[in-house]
PDB file of all heavy atoms in Angstrom:
ATOM      1  N   MET W   1     105.905  91.835  74.485  1.00  0.00           N
ATOM      2  CA  MET W   1     105.448  92.647  73.413  1.00  0.00           C
ATOM      3  C   MET W   1     104.546  91.795  72.522  1.00  0.00           C
ATOM      4  O   MET W   1     104.852  90.649  72.187  1.00  0.00           O
ATOM      5  CB  MET W   1     106.625  93.146  72.604  1.00  0.00           C
ATOM      6  CG  MET W   1     106.220  94.177  71.435  1.00  0.00           C
ATOM      7  SD  MET W   1     107.631  94.793  70.543  1.00  0.00           S
ATOM      8  CE  MET W   1     108.482  95.722  71.810  1.00  0.00           C
ATOM      9  N   ASN W   2     103.315  92.353  72.172  1.00  0.00           N
ATOM     10  CA  ASN W   2     102.405  91.599  71.385  1.00  0.00           C
ATOM     11  C   ASN W   2     102.701  91.649  69.878  1.00  0.00           C
ATOM     12  O   ASN W   2     103.656  92.313  69.474  1.00  0.00           O
ATOM     13  CB  ASN W   2     100.970  92.090  71.711  1.00  0.00           C
ATOM     14  CG  ASN W   2     100.544  91.723  73.092  1.00  0.00           C
ATOM     15  OD1 ASN W   2     100.921  90.717  73.632  1.00  0.00           O
ATOM     16  ND2 ASN W   2      99.707  92.564  73.707  1.00  0.00           N
ATOM     17  N   SER W   6     105.575  93.874  67.981  1.00  0.00           N
ATOM     18  CA  SER W   6     106.756  93.034  67.595  1.00  0.00           C
ATOM     19  C   SER W   6     107.054  93.193  66.160  1.00  0.00           C
ATOM     20  O   SER W   6     108.234  93.315  65.734  1.00  0.00           O
ATOM     21  CB  SER W   6     106.483  91.557  67.953  1.00  0.00           C
ATOM     22  OG  SER W   6     106.386  91.321  69.284  1.00  0.00           O
ATOM     23  N   GLU W  25     120.368 108.565  63.110  1.00  0.00           N
ATOM     24  CA  GLU W  25     120.637 109.444  64.311  1.00  0.00           C
ATOM     25  C   GLU W  25     119.595 110.538  64.356  1.00  0.00           C
ATOM     26  O   GLU W  25     119.088 110.897  65.423  1.00  0.00           O
ATOM     27  CB  GLU W  25     122.076 110.032  64.182  1.00  0.00           C
ATOM     28  CG  GLU W  25     122.396 110.842  65.346  1.00  0.00           C
ATOM     29  CD  GLU W  25     123.843 111.417  65.305  1.00  0.00           C
ATOM     30  OE1 GLU W  25     124.579 111.026  64.384  1.00  0.00           O
ATOM     31  OE2 GLU W  25     124.206 112.170  66.183  1.00  0.00           O
ATOM     32  N   MET W  31     112.808 111.654  67.732  1.00  0.00           N
ATOM     33  CA  MET W  31     111.983 110.800  68.597  1.00  0.00           C
ATOM     34  C   MET W  31     112.129 111.120  70.033  1.00  0.00           C
ATOM     35  O   MET W  31     111.149 111.293  70.814  1.00  0.00           O
ATOM     36  CB  MET W  31     112.268 109.327  68.314  1.00  0.00           C
ATOM     37  CG  MET W  31     111.579 108.372  69.253  1.00  0.00           C
ATOM     38  SD  MET W  31     109.871 108.086  68.889  1.00  0.00           S
ATOM     39  CE  MET W  31     110.070 106.906  67.514  1.00  0.00           C
ATOM     40  N   MET W  34     110.470 114.271  71.105  1.00  0.00           N
ATOM     41  CA  MET W  34     109.027 114.113  71.307  1.00  0.00           C
ATOM     42  C   MET W  34     108.748 113.441  72.637  1.00  0.00           C
ATOM     43  O   MET W  34     107.851 113.840  73.391  1.00  0.00           O
ATOM     44  CB  MET W  34     108.429 113.338  70.146  1.00  0.00           C
ATOM     45  CG  MET W  34     108.412 114.122  68.849  1.00  0.00           C
ATOM     46  SD  MET W  34     107.380 113.308  67.565  1.00  0.00           S
ATOM     47  CE  MET W  34     108.366 111.856  67.199  1.00  0.00           C
ATOM     48  N   PRO W  40     105.438 119.827  72.419  1.00  0.00           N
ATOM     49  CA  PRO W  40     104.318 119.562  73.378  1.00  0.00           C
ATOM     50  C   PRO W  40     102.985 119.294  72.679  1.00  0.00           C
ATOM     51  O   PRO W  40     102.697 119.734  71.583  1.00  0.00           O
ATOM     52  CB  PRO W  40     104.229 120.879  74.122  1.00  0.00           C
ATOM     53  CG  PRO W  40     104.838 121.897  73.282  1.00  0.00           C
ATOM     54  CD  PRO W  40     105.957 121.194  72.509  1.00  0.00           C
ATOM     55  N   LEU W  44      93.356 114.658  75.362  1.00  0.00           N
ATOM     56  CA  LEU W  44      92.218 114.562  76.278  1.00  0.00           C
ATOM     57  C   LEU W  44      92.399 113.374  77.167  1.00  0.00           C
ATOM     58  O   LEU W  44      92.936 112.337  76.747  1.00  0.00           O
ATOM     59  CB  LEU W  44      90.913 114.517  75.479  1.00  0.00           C
ATOM     60  CG  LEU W  44      90.599 115.755  74.607  1.00  0.00           C
ATOM     61  CD1 LEU W  44      89.260 115.531  73.919  1.00  0.00           C
ATOM     62  CD2 LEU W  44      90.579 116.994  75.462  1.00  0.00           C
ATOM     63  N   PRO W  51      85.195 115.884  71.686  1.00  0.00           N
ATOM     64  CA  PRO W  51      84.664 117.027  70.938  1.00  0.00           C
ATOM     65  C   PRO W  51      83.969 116.610  69.693  1.00  0.00           C
ATOM     66  O   PRO W  51      84.409 115.661  69.016  1.00  0.00           O
ATOM     67  CB  PRO W  51      85.936 117.861  70.642  1.00  0.00           C
ATOM     68  CG  PRO W  51      87.061 116.875  70.735  1.00  0.00           C
ATOM     69  CD  PRO W  51      86.672 115.857  71.775  1.00  0.00           C
ATOM     70  N   CYS W  87     102.215 103.042  60.766  1.00  0.00           N
ATOM     71  CA  CYS W  87     100.752 103.264  60.582  1.00  0.00           C
ATOM     72  C   CYS W  87     100.176 102.128  59.756  1.00  0.00           C
ATOM     73  O   CYS W  87      99.085 101.675  59.998  1.00  0.00           O
ATOM     74  CB  CYS W  87     100.480 104.568  59.942  1.00  0.00           C
ATOM     75  SG  CYS W  87     101.011 105.991  60.948  1.00  0.00           S
ATOM     76  N   TYR W  94      94.416  96.309  62.860  1.00  0.00           N
ATOM     77  CA  TYR W  94      93.082  96.738  63.308  1.00  0.00           C
ATOM     78  C   TYR W  94      92.008  96.194  62.363  1.00  0.00           C
ATOM     79  O   TYR W  94      90.946  95.750  62.839  1.00  0.00           O
ATOM     80  CB  TYR W  94      93.007  98.268  63.404  1.00  0.00           C
ATOM     81  CG  TYR W  94      93.719  98.845  64.609  1.00  0.00           C
ATOM     82  CD1 TYR W  94      94.510  98.052  65.429  1.00  0.00           C
ATOM     83  CD2 TYR W  94      93.540 100.171  64.884  1.00  0.00           C
ATOM     84  CE1 TYR W  94      95.163  98.594  66.502  1.00  0.00           C
ATOM     85  CE2 TYR W  94      94.159 100.745  65.989  1.00  0.00           C
ATOM     86  CZ  TYR W  94      95.014  99.969  66.784  1.00  0.00           C
ATOM     87  OH  TYR W  94      95.657 100.520  67.911  1.00  0.00           O
ATOM     88  N   GLN W  95      92.278  96.187  61.080  1.00  0.00           N
ATOM     89  CA  GLN W  95      91.353  95.565  60.120  1.00  0.00           C
ATOM     90  C   GLN W  95      91.118  94.144  60.453  1.00  0.00           C
ATOM     91  O   GLN W  95      89.964  93.623  60.413  1.00  0.00           O
ATOM     92  CB  GLN W  95      91.894  95.712  58.702  1.00  0.00           C
ATOM     93  CG  GLN W  95      91.081  95.018  57.590  1.00  0.00           C
ATOM     94  CD  GLN W  95      89.652  95.607  57.454  1.00  0.00           C
ATOM     95  OE1 GLN W  95      89.438  96.797  57.470  1.00  0.00           O
ATOM     96  NE2 GLN W  95      88.696  94.762  57.281  1.00  0.00           N
ATOM     97  N   MET W 122      95.789 103.689  50.224  1.00  0.00           N
ATOM     98  CA  MET W 122      96.090 102.903  51.427  1.00  0.00           C
ATOM     99  C   MET W 122      94.923 101.982  51.763  1.00  0.00           C
ATOM    100  O   MET W 122      95.144 100.786  52.126  1.00  0.00           O
ATOM    101  CB  MET W 122      96.326 103.878  52.625  1.00  0.00           C
ATOM    102  CG  MET W 122      96.598 103.227  53.921  1.00  0.00           C
ATOM    103  SD  MET W 122      96.510 104.494  55.213  1.00  0.00           S
ATOM    104  CE  MET W 122      94.759 104.974  55.071  1.00  0.00           C
ATOM    105  N   THR W 129      87.850  98.220  55.579  1.00  0.00           N
ATOM    106  CA  THR W 129      86.341  98.235  55.486  1.00  0.00           C
ATOM    107  C   THR W 129      85.781  99.251  56.567  1.00  0.00           C
ATOM    108  O   THR W 129      84.594  99.238  56.818  1.00  0.00           O
ATOM    109  CB  THR W 129      85.775  96.838  55.752  1.00  0.00           C
ATOM    110  OG1 THR W 129      86.170  96.338  56.968  1.00  0.00           O
ATOM    111  CG2 THR W 129      86.167  95.912  54.595  1.00  0.00           C
ATOM    112  N   GLU W 142      93.908 118.427  66.838  1.00  0.00           N
ATOM    113  CA  GLU W 142      94.163 119.484  67.779  1.00  0.00           C
ATOM    114  C   GLU W 142      93.134 119.525  68.892  1.00  0.00           C
ATOM    115  O   GLU W 142      93.442 119.682  70.054  1.00  0.00           O
ATOM    116  CB  GLU W 142      94.154 120.859  67.040  1.00  0.00           C
ATOM    117  CG  GLU W 142      94.564 122.084  67.883  1.00  0.00           C
ATOM    118  CD  GLU W 142      95.998 122.128  68.194  1.00  0.00           C
ATOM    119  OE1 GLU W 142      96.843 121.811  67.272  1.00  0.00           O
ATOM    120  OE2 GLU W 142      96.349 122.413  69.353  1.00  0.00           O
ATOM    121  N   ARG W 149     104.005 119.710  66.566  1.00  0.00           N
ATOM    122  CA  ARG W 149     104.896 120.194  65.498  1.00  0.00           C
ATOM    123  C   ARG W 149     106.001 119.119  65.258  1.00  0.00           C
ATOM    124  O   ARG W 149     106.565 118.627  66.220  1.00  0.00           O
ATOM    125  CB  ARG W 149     105.545 121.502  65.945  1.00  0.00           C
ATOM    126  CG  ARG W 149     106.566 122.133  64.941  1.00  0.00           C
ATOM    127  CD  ARG W 149     105.930 122.500  63.626  1.00  0.00           C
ATOM    128  NE  ARG W 149     106.799 123.305  62.749  1.00  0.00           N
ATOM    129  CZ  ARG W 149     107.795 122.846  62.050  1.00  0.00           C
ATOM    130  NH1 ARG W 149     108.109 121.561  62.081  1.00  0.00           N
ATOM    131  NH2 ARG W 149     108.484 123.617  61.260  1.00  0.00           N
ATOM    132  N   GLU W 153     114.469 117.626  63.088  1.00  0.00           N
ATOM    133  CA  GLU W 153     115.195 116.478  62.583  1.00  0.00           C
ATOM    134  C   GLU W 153     114.353 115.628  61.677  1.00  0.00           C
ATOM    135  O   GLU W 153     114.795 115.122  60.611  1.00  0.00           O
ATOM    136  CB  GLU W 153     115.733 115.602  63.740  1.00  0.00           C
ATOM    137  CG  GLU W 153     116.748 116.283  64.567  1.00  0.00           C
ATOM    138  CD  GLU W 153     116.156 117.088  65.722  1.00  0.00           C
ATOM    139  OE1 GLU W 153     114.897 117.245  65.777  1.00  0.00           O
ATOM    140  OE2 GLU W 153     116.875 117.576  66.568  1.00  0.00           O
ATOM    141  N   VAL W 157     114.604 114.736  57.659  1.00  0.00           N
ATOM    142  CA  VAL W 157     114.624 113.340  57.140  1.00  0.00           C
ATOM    143  C   VAL W 157     113.497 113.108  56.111  1.00  0.00           C
ATOM    144  O   VAL W 157     113.747 112.486  55.074  1.00  0.00           O
ATOM    145  CB  VAL W 157     114.502 112.347  58.319  1.00  0.00           C
ATOM    146  CG1 VAL W 157     114.253 110.939  57.816  1.00  0.00           C
ATOM    147  CG2 VAL W 157     115.753 112.315  59.170  1.00  0.00           C
ATOM    148  N   LEU W 176     101.711 116.829  62.776  1.00  0.00           N
ATOM    149  CA  LEU W 176     101.203 115.479  62.632  1.00  0.00           C
ATOM    150  C   LEU W 176     100.534 115.125  63.954  1.00  0.00           C
ATOM    151  O   LEU W 176     100.843 115.658  64.995  1.00  0.00           O
ATOM    152  CB  LEU W 176     102.337 114.456  62.388  1.00  0.00           C
ATOM    153  CG  LEU W 176     102.934 114.441  60.958  1.00  0.00           C
ATOM    154  CD1 LEU W 176     104.191 113.544  60.987  1.00  0.00           C
ATOM    155  CD2 LEU W 176     101.907 113.948  59.928  1.00  0.00           C
ATOM    156  N   PRO W 179     100.292 109.278  67.199  1.00  0.00           N
ATOM    157  CA  PRO W 179      99.396 108.171  66.987  1.00  0.00           C
ATOM    158  C   PRO W 179      98.671 107.796  68.307  1.00  0.00           C
ATOM    159  O   PRO W 179      99.342 107.474  69.291  1.00  0.00           O
ATOM    160  CB  PRO W 179     100.309 107.037  66.550  1.00  0.00           C
ATOM    161  CG  PRO W 179     101.541 107.766  65.960  1.00  0.00           C
ATOM    162  CD  PRO W 179     101.685 108.984  66.762  1.00  0.00           C
ATOM    163  N   THR W 193      92.271 105.732  76.806  1.00  0.00           N
ATOM    164  CA  THR W 193      93.138 106.377  75.834  1.00  0.00           C
ATOM    165  C   THR W 193      94.432 105.615  75.720  1.00  0.00           C
ATOM    166  O   THR W 193      94.912 105.014  76.732  1.00  0.00           O
ATOM    167  CB  THR W 193      93.457 107.863  76.240  1.00  0.00           C
ATOM    168  OG1 THR W 193      94.263 107.840  77.480  1.00  0.00           O
ATOM    169  CG2 THR W 193      92.277 108.664  76.424  1.00  0.00           C
ATOM    170  N   ILE W 201     105.442 102.510  68.842  1.00  0.00           N
ATOM    171  CA  ILE W 201     104.636 101.709  69.746  1.00  0.00           C
ATOM    172  C   ILE W 201     103.189 102.155  69.667  1.00  0.00           C
ATOM    173  O   ILE W 201     102.887 103.308  69.875  1.00  0.00           O
ATOM    174  CB  ILE W 201     105.127 101.864  71.176  1.00  0.00           C
ATOM    175  CG1 ILE W 201     106.596 101.376  71.316  1.00  0.00           C
ATOM    176  CG2 ILE W 201     104.269 101.096  72.157  1.00  0.00           C
ATOM    177  CD1 ILE W 201     107.243 101.662  72.659  1.00  0.00           C
ATOM    178  N   ALA W 210      90.132  94.941  75.553  1.00  0.00           N
ATOM    179  CA  ALA W 210      90.032  94.954  77.008  1.00  0.00           C
ATOM    180  C   ALA W 210      89.296  96.197  77.452  1.00  0.00           C
ATOM    181  O   ALA W 210      88.511  96.174  78.399  1.00  0.00           O
ATOM    182  CB  ALA W 210      91.417  94.857  77.672  1.00  0.00           C
ATOM    183  N   ALA W 211      89.615  97.333  76.795  1.00  0.00           N
ATOM    184  CA  ALA W 211      88.943  98.568  77.123  1.00  0.00           C
ATOM    185  C   ALA W 211      87.436  98.568  76.766  1.00  0.00           C
ATOM    186  O   ALA W 211      86.601  99.007  77.563  1.00  0.00           O
ATOM    187  CB  ALA W 211      89.622  99.757  76.421  1.00  0.00           C
TER     188      ALA W 211
END
Side-chain angles (χ1 to χ4, degrees):
M1 187 179 293
N2 292 328
S6 292
E25 182 178 356
M31 171 79 80
M34 290 192 292
L44 296 182
C87 295
Y94 284 10
Q95 174 65 40
M122 179 191 63
T129 58
E142 186 73 41
R149 177 65 170 78
E153 294 87 354
V157 168
L176 286 173
T193 65
I201 300 174

